[in-house]
mmCIF file of all heavy atoms in Angstrom:
data_model
loop_
_atom_site.group_PDB
_atom_site.id
_atom_site.type_symbol
_atom_site.label_atom_id
_atom_site.label_comp_id
_atom_site.label_asym_id
_atom_site.label_seq_id
_atom_site.Cartn_x
_atom_site.Cartn_y
_atom_site.Cartn_z
ATOM 1 N N GLU X 107 -103.795 54.577 -35.683
ATOM 2 C CA GLU X 107 -104.983 55.277 -35.179
ATOM 3 C C GLU X 107 -105.776 55.835 -36.358
ATOM 4 O O GLU X 107 -105.273 55.944 -37.470
ATOM 5 C CB GLU X 107 -104.626 56.366 -34.183
ATOM 6 C CG GLU X 107 -103.845 57.528 -34.722
ATOM 7 C CD GLU X 107 -103.546 58.581 -33.657
ATOM 8 O OE1 GLU X 107 -103.112 58.238 -32.544
ATOM 9 O OE2 GLU X 107 -103.732 59.764 -33.971
ATOM 10 N N LYS X 108 -107.012 56.214 -36.075
ATOM 11 C CA LYS X 108 -107.908 56.794 -37.091
ATOM 12 C C LYS X 108 -107.901 58.314 -36.940
ATOM 13 O O LYS X 108 -107.888 58.836 -35.829
ATOM 14 C CB LYS X 108 -109.342 56.288 -36.905
ATOM 15 C CG LYS X 108 -109.509 54.807 -37.103
ATOM 16 C CD LYS X 108 -109.663 54.490 -38.563
ATOM 17 C CE LYS X 108 -110.033 53.023 -38.737
ATOM 18 N NZ LYS X 108 -110.338 52.720 -40.107
ATOM 19 N N VAL X 109 -107.883 59.021 -38.068
ATOM 20 C CA VAL X 109 -107.961 60.486 -38.059
ATOM 21 C C VAL X 109 -109.123 60.922 -38.936
ATOM 22 O O VAL X 109 -109.479 60.249 -39.909
ATOM 23 C CB VAL X 109 -106.650 61.145 -38.544
ATOM 24 C CG1 VAL X 109 -105.510 60.858 -37.596
ATOM 25 C CG2 VAL X 109 -106.297 60.726 -39.950
ATOM 26 N N ASP X 110 -109.711 62.050 -38.567
ATOM 27 C CA ASP X 110 -110.833 62.593 -39.330
ATOM 28 C C ASP X 110 -110.315 63.525 -40.420
ATOM 29 O O ASP X 110 -109.511 64.422 -40.153
ATOM 30 C CB ASP X 110 -111.781 63.393 -38.414
ATOM 31 C CG ASP X 110 -112.499 62.493 -37.426
ATOM 32 O OD1 ASP X 110 -112.838 61.360 -37.810
ATOM 33 O OD2 ASP X 110 -112.693 62.918 -36.265
ATOM 34 N N VAL X 111 -110.751 63.278 -41.618
ATOM 35 C CA VAL X 111 -110.459 64.171 -42.738
ATOM 36 C C VAL X 111 -111.818 64.550 -43.322
ATOM 37 O O VAL X 111 -112.417 63.795 -44.075
ATOM 38 C CB VAL X 111 -109.575 63.488 -43.796
ATOM 39 C CG1 VAL X 111 -109.295 64.441 -44.942
ATOM 40 C CG2 VAL X 111 -108.288 62.978 -43.177
ATOM 41 N N GLY X 112 -112.311 65.702 -42.904
ATOM 42 C CA GLY X 112 -113.672 66.106 -43.285
ATOM 43 C C GLY X 112 -114.662 65.176 -42.596
ATOM 44 O O GLY X 112 -114.664 65.047 -41.379
ATOM 45 N N VAL X 114 -114.759 61.877 -43.347
ATOM 46 C CA VAL X 114 -114.236 60.510 -43.509
ATOM 47 C C VAL X 114 -113.111 60.266 -42.508
ATOM 48 O O VAL X 114 -112.343 61.163 -42.183
ATOM 49 C CB VAL X 114 -113.710 60.310 -44.954
ATOM 50 C CG1 VAL X 114 -113.228 58.900 -45.170
ATOM 51 C CG2 VAL X 114 -114.765 60.685 -45.971
ATOM 52 N N GLN X 115 -113.013 59.011 -42.033
ATOM 53 C CA GLN X 115 -111.896 58.625 -41.164
ATOM 54 C C GLN X 115 -110.940 57.728 -41.944
ATOM 55 O O GLN X 115 -111.373 56.813 -42.645
ATOM 56 C CB GLN X 115 -112.407 57.850 -39.936
ATOM 57 C CG GLN X 115 -112.890 58.703 -38.817
ATOM 58 C CD GLN X 115 -113.044 57.860 -37.542
ATOM 59 O OE1 GLN X 115 -113.232 56.661 -37.595
ATOM 60 N NE2 GLN X 115 -112.961 58.529 -36.412
ATOM 61 N N TYR X 116 -109.661 58.034 -41.805
ATOM 62 C CA TYR X 116 -108.636 57.204 -42.448
ATOM 63 C C TYR X 116 -107.681 56.681 -41.386
ATOM 64 O O TYR X 116 -107.381 57.351 -40.398
ATOM 65 C CB TYR X 116 -107.845 58.010 -43.483
ATOM 66 C CG TYR X 116 -108.654 58.382 -44.704
ATOM 67 C CD1 TYR X 116 -108.925 59.704 -45.009
ATOM 68 C CD2 TYR X 116 -109.140 57.393 -45.556
ATOM 69 C CE1 TYR X 116 -109.658 60.037 -46.132
ATOM 70 C CE2 TYR X 116 -109.890 57.719 -46.682
ATOM 71 C CZ TYR X 116 -110.144 59.030 -46.958
ATOM 72 O OH TYR X 116 -110.874 59.358 -48.068
ATOM 73 N N GLY X 117 -107.173 55.482 -41.623
ATOM 74 C CA GLY X 117 -106.188 54.890 -40.726
ATOM 75 C C GLY X 117 -104.790 55.367 -41.066
ATOM 76 O O GLY X 117 -104.364 55.323 -42.216
ATOM 77 N N VAL X 118 -104.069 55.840 -40.049
ATOM 78 C CA VAL X 118 -102.700 56.336 -40.225
ATOM 79 C C VAL X 118 -101.821 55.750 -39.111
ATOM 80 O O VAL X 118 -102.322 55.164 -38.158
ATOM 81 C CB VAL X 118 -102.639 57.881 -40.180
ATOM 82 C CG1 VAL X 118 -103.422 58.492 -41.320
ATOM 83 C CG2 VAL X 118 -103.114 58.418 -38.843
ATOM 84 N N ILE X 119 -100.538 55.927 -39.227
ATOM 85 C CA ILE X 119 -99.614 55.551 -38.156
ATOM 86 C C ILE X 119 -99.099 56.834 -37.540
ATOM 87 O O ILE X 119 -98.525 57.691 -38.231
ATOM 88 C CB ILE X 119 -98.456 54.695 -38.702
ATOM 89 C CG1 ILE X 119 -99.007 53.390 -39.256
ATOM 90 C CG2 ILE X 119 -97.425 54.435 -37.609
ATOM 91 C CD1 ILE X 119 -97.993 52.553 -39.981
ATOM 92 N N TYR X 147 -93.986 66.926 -47.386
ATOM 93 C CA TYR X 147 -95.144 67.638 -46.832
ATOM 94 C C TYR X 147 -94.931 68.057 -45.373
ATOM 95 O O TYR X 147 -95.739 68.774 -44.807
ATOM 96 C CB TYR X 147 -96.402 66.769 -46.925
ATOM 97 C CG TYR X 147 -96.741 66.390 -48.340
ATOM 98 C CD1 TYR X 147 -96.723 65.062 -48.738
ATOM 99 C CD2 TYR X 147 -97.086 67.351 -49.283
ATOM 100 C CE1 TYR X 147 -97.034 64.699 -50.037
ATOM 101 C CE2 TYR X 147 -97.393 67.001 -50.588
ATOM 102 C CZ TYR X 147 -97.360 65.667 -50.959
ATOM 103 O OH TYR X 147 -97.671 65.325 -52.248
ATOM 104 N N VAL X 160 -97.508 62.010 -38.722
ATOM 105 C CA VAL X 160 -98.422 60.967 -39.177
ATOM 106 C C VAL X 160 -97.879 60.369 -40.471
ATOM 107 O O VAL X 160 -97.480 61.100 -41.380
ATOM 108 C CB VAL X 160 -99.833 61.553 -39.408
ATOM 109 C CG1 VAL X 160 -100.734 60.544 -40.070
ATOM 110 C CG2 VAL X 160 -100.430 62.020 -38.103
ATOM 111 N N ILE X 161 -97.835 59.053 -40.509
ATOM 112 C CA ILE X 161 -97.466 58.352 -41.740
ATOM 113 C C ILE X 161 -98.786 57.926 -42.384
ATOM 114 O O ILE X 161 -99.570 57.183 -41.785
ATOM 115 C CB ILE X 161 -96.574 57.142 -41.438
ATOM 116 C CG1 ILE X 161 -95.292 57.609 -40.747
ATOM 117 C CG2 ILE X 161 -96.259 56.374 -42.711
ATOM 118 C CD1 ILE X 161 -94.458 56.494 -40.172
ATOM 119 N N ALA X 162 -99.065 58.448 -43.584
ATOM 120 C CA ALA X 162 -100.378 58.251 -44.193
ATOM 121 C C ALA X 162 -100.268 57.902 -45.666
ATOM 122 O O ALA X 162 -99.258 58.183 -46.319
ATOM 123 C CB ALA X 162 -101.204 59.531 -44.026
ATOM 124 N N ASN X 163 -101.339 57.325 -46.174
ATOM 125 C CA ASN X 163 -101.485 57.067 -47.604
ATOM 126 C C ASN X 163 -102.042 58.351 -48.216
ATOM 127 O O ASN X 163 -103.153 58.757 -47.909
ATOM 128 C CB ASN X 163 -102.443 55.900 -47.819
ATOM 129 C CG ASN X 163 -102.689 55.586 -49.278
ATOM 130 O OD1 ASN X 163 -102.223 56.298 -50.158
ATOM 131 N ND2 ASN X 163 -103.427 54.531 -49.525
ATOM 132 N N THR X 164 -101.260 58.998 -49.071
ATOM 133 C CA THR X 164 -101.690 60.273 -49.652
ATOM 134 C C THR X 164 -102.163 60.125 -51.092
ATOM 135 O O THR X 164 -102.231 61.097 -51.829
ATOM 136 C CB THR X 164 -100.561 61.326 -49.564
ATOM 137 O OG1 THR X 164 -99.384 60.779 -50.151
ATOM 138 C CG2 THR X 164 -100.310 61.743 -48.147
ATOM 139 N N GLY X 165 -102.491 58.922 -51.476
ATOM 140 C CA GLY X 165 -103.023 58.688 -52.815
ATOM 141 C C GLY X 165 -102.017 58.045 -53.731
ATOM 142 O O GLY X 165 -100.799 58.210 -53.552
ATOM 143 N N SER X 166 -102.526 57.305 -54.711
ATOM 144 C CA SER X 166 -101.690 56.587 -55.683
ATOM 145 C C SER X 166 -100.668 55.702 -54.980
ATOM 146 O O SER X 166 -99.522 55.595 -55.406
ATOM 147 C CB SER X 166 -100.970 57.560 -56.618
ATOM 148 O OG SER X 166 -101.890 58.364 -57.284
ATOM 149 N N GLN X 168 -98.973 56.222 -52.442
ATOM 150 C CA GLN X 168 -97.808 56.950 -51.941
ATOM 151 C C GLN X 168 -97.927 57.103 -50.431
ATOM 152 O O GLN X 168 -98.948 57.552 -49.920
ATOM 153 C CB GLN X 168 -97.690 58.325 -52.590
ATOM 154 C CG GLN X 168 -96.436 59.055 -52.159
ATOM 155 C CD GLN X 168 -96.312 60.430 -52.795
ATOM 156 O OE1 GLN X 168 -97.284 61.004 -53.255
ATOM 157 N NE2 GLN X 168 -95.095 60.951 -52.802
ATOM 158 N N ILE X 169 -96.862 56.719 -49.730
ATOM 159 C CA ILE X 169 -96.805 56.863 -48.277
ATOM 160 C C ILE X 169 -96.050 58.154 -47.988
ATOM 161 O O ILE X 169 -94.936 58.359 -48.462
ATOM 162 C CB ILE X 169 -96.081 55.665 -47.622
ATOM 163 C CG1 ILE X 169 -96.761 54.344 -48.008
ATOM 164 C CG2 ILE X 169 -96.007 55.841 -46.125
ATOM 165 C CD1 ILE X 169 -98.168 54.197 -47.495
ATOM 166 N N SER X 170 -96.684 59.038 -47.202
ATOM 167 C CA SER X 170 -96.079 60.338 -46.892
ATOM 168 C C SER X 170 -96.101 60.574 -45.390
ATOM 169 O O SER X 170 -96.904 60.001 -44.661
ATOM 170 C CB SER X 170 -96.840 61.476 -47.583
ATOM 171 O OG SER X 170 -96.815 61.306 -48.970
ATOM 172 N N VAL X 171 -95.206 61.449 -44.951
ATOM 173 C CA VAL X 171 -95.176 61.884 -43.558
ATOM 174 C C VAL X 171 -95.832 63.261 -43.514
ATOM 175 O O VAL X 171 -95.431 64.177 -44.235
ATOM 176 C CB VAL X 171 -93.731 61.944 -43.023
ATOM 177 C CG1 VAL X 171 -93.710 62.423 -41.591
ATOM 178 C CG2 VAL X 171 -93.064 60.577 -43.142
ATOM 179 N N LEU X 172 -96.859 63.382 -42.650
ATOM 180 C CA LEU X 172 -97.626 64.627 -42.553
ATOM 181 C C LEU X 172 -97.543 65.195 -41.154
ATOM 182 O O LEU X 172 -97.144 64.518 -40.202
ATOM 183 C CB LEU X 172 -99.096 64.351 -42.913
ATOM 184 C CG LEU X 172 -99.372 63.637 -44.231
ATOM 185 C CD1 LEU X 172 -100.855 63.337 -44.358
ATOM 186 C CD2 LEU X 172 -98.870 64.459 -45.411
ATOM 187 N N GLU X 173 -97.950 66.469 -41.058
ATOM 188 C CA GLU X 173 -98.019 67.131 -39.751
ATOM 189 C C GLU X 173 -99.081 66.450 -38.885
ATOM 190 O O GLU X 173 -100.046 65.878 -39.392
ATOM 191 C CB GLU X 173 -98.402 68.605 -39.920
ATOM 192 C CG GLU X 173 -97.473 69.416 -40.780
ATOM 193 C CD GLU X 173 -96.195 69.827 -40.080
ATOM 194 O OE1 GLU X 173 -96.173 69.861 -38.841
ATOM 195 O OE2 GLU X 173 -95.224 70.100 -40.787
ATOM 196 N N TYR X 174 -98.904 66.530 -37.573
ATOM 197 C CA TYR X 174 -99.934 66.054 -36.642
ATOM 198 C C TYR X 174 -100.319 67.213 -35.748
ATOM 199 O O TYR X 174 -99.418 67.873 -35.224
ATOM 200 C CB TYR X 174 -99.419 64.884 -35.809
ATOM 201 C CG TYR X 174 -100.488 64.317 -34.909
ATOM 202 C CD1 TYR X 174 -101.390 63.394 -35.401
ATOM 203 C CD2 TYR X 174 -100.608 64.737 -33.591
ATOM 204 C CE1 TYR X 174 -102.389 62.880 -34.593
ATOM 205 C CE2 TYR X 174 -101.602 64.233 -32.784
ATOM 206 C CZ TYR X 174 -102.487 63.305 -33.282
ATOM 207 O OH TYR X 174 -103.483 62.796 -32.499
ATOM 208 N N PRO X 175 -101.557 67.492 -35.518
ATOM 209 C CA PRO X 175 -102.734 66.836 -36.086
ATOM 210 C C PRO X 175 -102.855 67.109 -37.578
ATOM 211 O O PRO X 175 -102.344 68.089 -38.095
ATOM 212 C CB PRO X 175 -103.891 67.428 -35.306
ATOM 213 C CG PRO X 175 -103.393 68.683 -34.708
ATOM 214 C CD PRO X 175 -101.910 68.569 -34.597
ATOM 215 N N VAL X 176 -103.565 66.235 -38.261
ATOM 216 C CA VAL X 176 -103.684 66.281 -39.716
ATOM 217 C C VAL X 176 -104.334 67.576 -40.186
ATOM 218 O O VAL X 176 -104.060 68.054 -41.286
ATOM 219 C CB VAL X 176 -104.462 65.042 -40.222
ATOM 220 C CG1 VAL X 176 -104.641 65.080 -41.720
ATOM 221 C CG2 VAL X 176 -103.727 63.786 -39.821
ATOM 222 N N SER X 177 -105.156 68.183 -39.352
ATOM 223 C CA SER X 177 -105.817 69.435 -39.751
ATOM 224 C C SER X 177 -104.797 70.536 -40.048
ATOM 225 O O SER X 177 -105.061 71.453 -40.816
ATOM 226 C CB SER X 177 -106.790 69.893 -38.672
ATOM 227 O OG SER X 177 -106.099 70.085 -37.455
ATOM 228 N N LYS X 178 -103.566 70.473 -39.467
ATOM 229 C CA LYS X 178 -102.521 71.472 -39.722
ATOM 230 C C LYS X 178 -101.747 71.178 -41.003
ATOM 231 O O LYS X 178 -101.027 72.029 -41.501
ATOM 232 C CB LYS X 178 -101.514 71.479 -38.556
ATOM 233 C CG LYS X 178 -102.061 72.038 -37.274
ATOM 234 C CD LYS X 178 -100.948 72.062 -36.246
ATOM 235 C CE LYS X 178 -101.424 72.627 -34.933
ATOM 236 N NZ LYS X 178 -100.370 72.603 -33.914
ATOM 237 N N SER X 179 -101.877 69.989 -41.522
ATOM 238 C CA SER X 179 -101.087 69.577 -42.680
ATOM 239 C C SER X 179 -101.671 70.143 -43.969
ATOM 240 O O SER X 179 -102.876 70.254 -44.128
ATOM 241 C CB SER X 179 -101.044 68.048 -42.761
ATOM 242 O OG SER X 179 -100.271 67.648 -43.848
ATOM 243 N N THR X 180 -100.758 70.477 -44.901
ATOM 244 C CA THR X 180 -101.209 70.977 -46.197
ATOM 245 C C THR X 180 -101.731 69.844 -47.072
ATOM 246 O O THR X 180 -102.546 70.052 -47.948
ATOM 247 C CB THR X 180 -100.056 71.684 -46.930
ATOM 248 O OG1 THR X 180 -98.963 70.771 -47.045
ATOM 249 C CG2 THR X 180 -99.609 72.921 -46.184
ATOM 250 N N LYS X 181 -101.247 68.648 -46.831
ATOM 251 C CA LYS X 181 -101.683 67.467 -47.571
ATOM 252 C C LYS X 181 -102.504 66.608 -46.622
ATOM 253 O O LYS X 181 -102.199 66.488 -45.443
ATOM 254 C CB LYS X 181 -100.461 66.701 -48.085
ATOM 255 C CG LYS X 181 -100.754 65.533 -48.953
ATOM 256 C CD LYS X 181 -101.156 65.975 -50.335
ATOM 257 C CE LYS X 181 -101.302 64.770 -51.256
ATOM 258 N NZ LYS X 181 -101.849 65.135 -52.532
ATOM 259 N N LYS X 182 -103.544 65.995 -47.121
ATOM 260 C CA LYS X 182 -104.433 65.174 -46.296
ATOM 261 C C LYS X 182 -104.342 63.710 -46.727
ATOM 262 O O LYS X 182 -104.056 63.418 -47.892
ATOM 263 C CB LYS X 182 -105.889 65.636 -46.442
ATOM 264 C CG LYS X 182 -106.111 67.106 -46.156
ATOM 265 C CD LYS X 182 -105.885 67.438 -44.714
ATOM 266 C CE LYS X 182 -106.227 68.911 -44.467
ATOM 267 N NZ LYS X 182 -105.332 69.589 -43.616
ATOM 268 N N PRO X 183 -104.594 62.796 -45.793
ATOM 269 C CA PRO X 183 -104.634 61.373 -46.174
ATOM 270 C C PRO X 183 -105.737 61.135 -47.197
ATOM 271 O O PRO X 183 -106.783 61.772 -47.173
ATOM 272 C CB PRO X 183 -104.944 60.660 -44.861
ATOM 273 C CG PRO X 183 -104.551 61.607 -43.786
ATOM 274 C CD PRO X 183 -104.765 62.974 -44.352
ATOM 275 N N ALA X 184 -105.483 60.185 -48.095
ATOM 276 C CA ALA X 184 -106.466 59.865 -49.133
ATOM 277 C C ALA X 184 -106.915 58.412 -49.040
ATOM 278 O O ALA X 184 -107.629 57.937 -49.897
ATOM 279 C CB ALA X 184 -105.861 60.133 -50.503
ATOM 280 N N GLY X 185 -106.489 57.724 -48.025
ATOM 281 C CA GLY X 185 -106.855 56.322 -47.848
ATOM 282 C C GLY X 185 -106.173 55.764 -46.617
ATOM 283 O O GLY X 185 -105.341 56.423 -45.992
ATOM 284 N N ASN X 186 -106.547 54.544 -46.248
ATOM 285 C CA ASN X 186 -105.924 53.896 -45.097
ATOM 286 C C ASN X 186 -104.490 53.505 -45.442
ATOM 287 O O ASN X 186 -104.208 53.044 -46.552
ATOM 288 C CB ASN X 186 -106.715 52.649 -44.687
ATOM 289 C CG ASN X 186 -108.070 53.001 -44.114
ATOM 290 O OD1 ASN X 186 -108.225 54.012 -43.439
ATOM 291 N ND2 ASN X 186 -109.064 52.180 -44.396
ATOM 292 N N VAL X 187 -103.610 53.673 -44.479
ATOM 293 C CA VAL X 187 -102.204 53.346 -44.695
ATOM 294 C C VAL X 187 -101.993 51.833 -44.690
ATOM 295 O O VAL X 187 -101.060 51.326 -45.300
ATOM 296 C CB VAL X 187 -101.291 54.061 -43.675
ATOM 297 C CG1 VAL X 187 -101.393 53.442 -42.304
ATOM 298 C CG2 VAL X 187 -99.860 54.085 -44.149
#
Side-chain angles (χ1 to χ4, degrees):
E107 66 179 47
K108 296 276 188 173
V109 295
D110 292 324
V111 180
V114 183
Q115 277 194 335
Y116 291 116
V118 297
I119 297 172
Y147 300 116
V160 172
I161 300 169
N163 178 355
T164 54
S166 302
Q168 184 180 20
I169 303 295
S170 300
V171 179
L172 308 175
E173 302 282 338
Y174 184 84
V176 178
S177 59
K178 290 183 179 178
S179 181
T180 56
K181 185 76 174 173
K182 306 293 184 221
N186 292 325
V187 74

